[in-house]
Amino acid sequence: MEYYVTKNQKKLRCGITTGTCATAAAKAAAELLLFGNYSEAVVVHTPKGIDVSVPVFLSVDTKQKTEYKVVKDSGDDPDVTNHAEIFACVEKVEEGCNCPKEAFCFKKSPNLFLDGGIGVGRVVKDGMEQKKGQAAINAVPREMIFHAVHEVCKVAGYNGALLIKIHVPQGKELAKRTFNPRLGIEGGISILGTSGILEPMSEKAMIDTIELQIRCLQAQGEKKLLVTPGNYGQGYVSSFLHLDLDKSIKCSNYIGETLDFAVACGMQDFLLVGNIGKLVKLAAGIMNTHSRVADGRREILAVHTVLSGGDANLVPEIMKCINTEEILQLLDRNRLQQQVIKSLCEKIEEHICYRAGDKMEAGVILFSEKFGFLGKTKKADGILKLFGGSI
């Protein structure tokens, strides 16, 4: 993997995600099973648009199934899974007979099935993107794996059923150093990656980059700033608010620092748009929203549920929820969602405006994946209009 990015005036080598590793191993295994072609490396097209050549190592070779492994390379910013061995086994099966009932199916080819093996976590609670009992293989990696194997099948003219199984021998131990146990995922790591590429970026480098972006906008004469925590926020801004992203910035978890930089650079208006799963923490004055710094999402929502007239008996139910989407569903069932969001927004505005001071107007818009637009602080509408948008 020889792809580099420059962060804080340093040239850093990127790595690959567990999703890209699993895709490379599955593609190599499918090519050997269906073509008899042995590989030392395969090319994977990542969602980021970058083609990467990934070294692969043969593990199993029979007439019915083949298996390759990839040793994960996290680049210059090693994570928990750096150097983990990601295996993919591709096996010819009778459709529906030898496939686990919890296996994923591919819409474009009903004969392809995907499941996790040893060391790949399994979902044990409701509320996740996967169903209870399914392997913790996220949507983008699933699509990558299925697409790669499907393309091999097309070229080979193979229409039989295949079961793809991903396993990570070290996964159970590695998972203890992740948030999977708290999220309701047991037995191993998740197969992740929205871009396929793992870009190294230290906390300081990321904060420096945020400041640099704001200073560049200042140099262009900008007096207003549109901010999202990341890709989800940008997607919402583009698709639902129909705003131009050219002059927006991503602040990641560093909302407090971003506010400080915006004030220091003379910005007059600041609009933050993001998913409630991250921005709910602002209601408690938490300005670094990384889970390693602070969580408190359930506690915050529980307090505002009671403040909004909810029964105290809902608090234990909220504390059992594994994410904010599940809590929102609970509030919706109890006809409390609107009141709780209003209460949250009032507190978010109090904290965000205190941090911004009297030199800059600041507003926040909250959304969720399931419910879409949820609410906004009082000043958000006026600032949104400055960007040519409205709700």
Side-chain angles (χ1 to χ4, degrees):
M1 176 67 191
E2 295 299 326
Y3 179 70
Y4 293 85
V5 293
T6 301
K7 305 291 183 184
N8 199 26
Q9 299 182 352
K10 292 181 180 179
K11 187 179 180 182
L12 301 175
R13 187 173 63 85
C14 293
I16 53 177
T17 63
T18 48
T20 297
C21 293
T23 301
K27 181 178 180 180
E31 288 179 345
L32 177 55
L33 185 67
L34 301 182
F35 285 112
N37 293 342
Y38 291 90
S39 300
E40 293 184 353
V42 296
V43 175
V44 174
H45 183 71
T46 65
K48 194 174 180 68
I50 299 168
D51 290 337
V52 294
S53 179
V54 182
V56 293
F57 305 90
L58 180 62
S59 176
V60 174
D61 178 17
T62 71
K63 289 183 179 180
Q64 285 299 114
K65 67 179 181 180
T66 55
E67 180 178 273
Y68 271 85
K69 77 172 182 181
V70 169
V71 179
K72 185 171 182 290
D73 178 2
S74 297
D76 283 338
D77 193 15
D79 61 2
V80 168
T81 57
N82 191 37
H83 297 152
E85 296 180 336
I86 314 293
F87 288 79
C89 177
V90 179
E91 180 180 5
K92 293 179 180 178
V93 294
E94 293 183 29
E95 185 179 351
C97 294
N98 300 336
C99 295
K101 62 180 181 180
E102 62 272 12
F104 298 103
C105 300
F106 189 41
K107 293 180 181 179
K108 293 182 181 178
S109 176
N111 292 331
L112 293 184
F113 303 90
L114 173 65
D115 197 18
I118 293 172
V120 173
R122 202 156 287 272
V123 175
V124 296
K125 292 183 180 179
D126 294 322
M128 300 297 292
E129 180 259 315
Q130 303 90 345
K131 295 178 182 177
K132 190 188 293 185
Q134 288 186 316
I137 305 173
N138 281 14
V140 172
R142 290 202 303 267
E143 185 71 18
M144 290 174 66
I145 295 165
F146 273 135
H147 181 75
V149 175
H150 176 62
E151 288 300 306
V152 175
C153 290
K154 274 203 323 185
V155 175
Y158 181 79
N159 296 313
L162 294 177
L163 171 63
I164 309 157
K165 184 169 280 191
I166 311 300
H167 63 101
V168 185
Q170 307 148 281
K172 191 171 183 179
E173 283 300 310
L174 291 173
K176 295 176 182 178
R177 297 159 58 193
T178 73
F179 282 90
N180 274 11
R182 292 175 58 186
L183 294 173
I185 300 171
E186 294 182 355
I189 63 169
S190 298
I191 304 301
L192 304 170
T194 55
S195 70
I197 302 296
L198 191 61
E199 292 192 9
M201 183 174 279
S202 68
E203 182 171 315
K204 185 181 184 304
M206 187 174 290
I207 292 172
D208 288 345
T209 300
I210 293 168
E211 181 180 16
L212 179 61
Q213 290 180 82
I214 296 174
R215 292 200 179 281
C216 286
L217 290 172
Q218 177 193 29
Q220 297 170 29
E222 282 295 328
K223 292 295 182 182
K224 60 185 184 297
L225 189 62
L226 176 60
V227 180
T228 62
N231 293 332
Y232 282 131
Q234 288 211 325
Y236 183 80
V237 165
S238 177
S239 300
F240 296 97
L241 298 182
H242 307 295
L243 300 184
D244 188 357
L245 294 173
D246 285 348
K247 293 186 178 180
S248 69
I249 70 163
K250 290 191 284 188
C251 68
S252 185
N253 296 294
Y254 309 105
I255 295 168
E257 286 87 351
T258 305
L259 280 162
D260 294 342
F261 294 145
V263 172
C265 289
M267 295 294 164
Q268 295 175 356
D269 298 280
F270 181 102
L271 183 63
L272 174 64
V273 183
N275 190 293
I276 188 174
K278 186 177 290 288
L279 299 192
V280 65
K281 298 178 185 181
L282 295 175
I286 299 168
M287 294 288 166
N288 183 331
T289 56
H290 199 292
S291 55
R292 287 180 298 188
V293 174
D295 192 350
R297 292 168 296 173
R298 289 170 292 189
E299 291 84 353
I300 294 166
L301 283 161
V303 167
H304 284 274
T305 295
V306 176
L307 289 174
S308 302
D311 195 298
N313 290 330
L314 284 173
V315 172
E317 292 188 54
I318 290 172
M319 296 305 292
K320 291 177 184 177
C321 293
I322 61 174
N323 56 36
T324 50
E325 291 289 340
E326 190 177 351
I327 297 172
L328 289 173
Q329 292 176 42
L330 174 64
L331 295 175
D332 189 51
R333 290 196 299 270
N334 286 273
R335 299 181 180 179
L336 284 166
Q337 189 187 110
Q338 189 173 351
Q339 301 95 297
V340 172
I341 295 299
K342 182 176 182 293
S343 180
L344 276 176
C345 285
E346 289 173 357
K347 205 64 182 175
I348 287 172
E349 182 164 57
E350 177 183 323
H351 287 294
I352 208 92
C353 290
Y354 178 79
R355 184 72 175 248
D358 57 3
K359 295 182 179 179
M360 183 175 74
E361 297 291 312
V364 177
I365 295 173
L366 300 177
F367 69 90
S368 89
E369 292 179 47
K370 178 177 175 61
F371 293 96
F373 171 75
L374 291 174
K376 57 185 182 291
T377 60
K378 289 180 182 178
K379 297 181 180 179
D381 265 336
I383 301 171
L384 183 59
K385 286 178 183 177
L386 297 176
F387 290 97
S390 63
I391 297 178

